[in-house]
Amino acid sequence: MRRHVMQDILIFIIFSVFAVLSLVLVVVGISFYTDISDKVESNAKIRSSVSYLENKLRSNDYEGGVDVVNIDGKDVIILSNNNNETSMKTAIYVADGKLQEYLTKDNELKLGMGDTITSLDAMKVVKTGNNIKITLDLNGENYVIDKTMNSKSI
């Protein structure tokens, strides 16, 4: 009888170790999944920002199409679209942790208005001749777009 009790205790100990190790495995798996999910989300945000900005610059690569100004201490990319009928300007800037776009018919640019493109902590824009360098900051990591414009758009 005593031997039967020892076998039961041993089986219980083995089962308990298995349960604890299974729980540890699940907790470690959740941690890995959360880290990977955060990195995928961050990567998607920066990819969206980079491709959005590159496409906007590419589509406005004509004389007078791109300008860089500083409004209220923020670097703002101004894209001009001069049709025969209307003159449209698009302001692209970062405010409140978001990359934003504001489209206007007049020359009155209002930061804080417009559409949110994606989350982004900061954007620094430097223009030199036909070259435009945009540094994007997301979660403490910097990403650089270094674009040489074909026309004299800047």
Side-chain angles (χ1 to χ4, degrees), residues 52-53 56-57 59-71 74-82 87-93 100-111 123 125 127 132 134 149 153-154:
Y52 168 79
L53 288 168
K56 284 293 190 175
L57 291 174
S59 67
N60 286 280
D61 191 1
Y62 51 84
E63 191 170 342
V66 179
D67 194 16
V68 177
V69 297
N70 191 299
I71 301 174
K74 297 178 192 299
D75 290 339
V76 180
I77 301 171
I78 305 292
L79 306 174
S80 299
N81 184 4
N82 296 323
S87 175
M88 303 290 288
K89 290 192 184 248
T90 303
I92 300 171
Y93 59 95
Q100 296 187 336
E101 173 187 73
Y102 179 66
L103 182 65
T104 181
K105 285 184 182 180
D106 53 18
N107 288 329
E108 182 79 25
L109 296 175
K110 300 171 188 160
L111 299 186
M123 177 177 75
V125 184
K127 66 176 181 174
I132 186 166
I134 304 171
M149 306 301 278
S153 59
I154 297 180

Side-chain angles (χ1 to χ4, degrees), residues 22-79:
S22 296
L23 183 61
V24 167
L25 184 64
V26 168
V27 169
V28 168
I30 289 172
S31 175
F32 281 140
Y33 176 79
T34 303
D35 289 345
I36 290 170
S37 177
D38 291 344
K39 287 178 183 177
V40 166
E41 183 178 343
S42 176
N43 190 24
K45 286 178 185 176
I46 200 65
R47 264 187 300 120
S48 296
S49 300
V50 167
S51 71
Y52 168 79
L53 288 168
E54 284 187 345
N55 285 329
K56 284 293 190 175
L57 291 174
R58 190 177 302 117
S59 67
N60 286 280
D61 191 1
Y62 51 84
E63 191 170 342
V66 179
D67 194 16
V68 177
V69 297
N70 191 299
I71 301 174
D72 298 333
K74 297 178 192 299
D75 290 339
V76 180
I77 301 171
I78 305 292
L79 306 174

Side-chain angles (χ1 to χ4, degrees), residues 5-20:
V5 170
M6 289 301 280
Q7 285 177 345
D8 289 344
I9 291 174
L10 185 60
I11 289 172
F12 178 73
I13 290 172
I14 291 172
F15 177 75
S16 298
V17 168
F18 176 75
V20 168

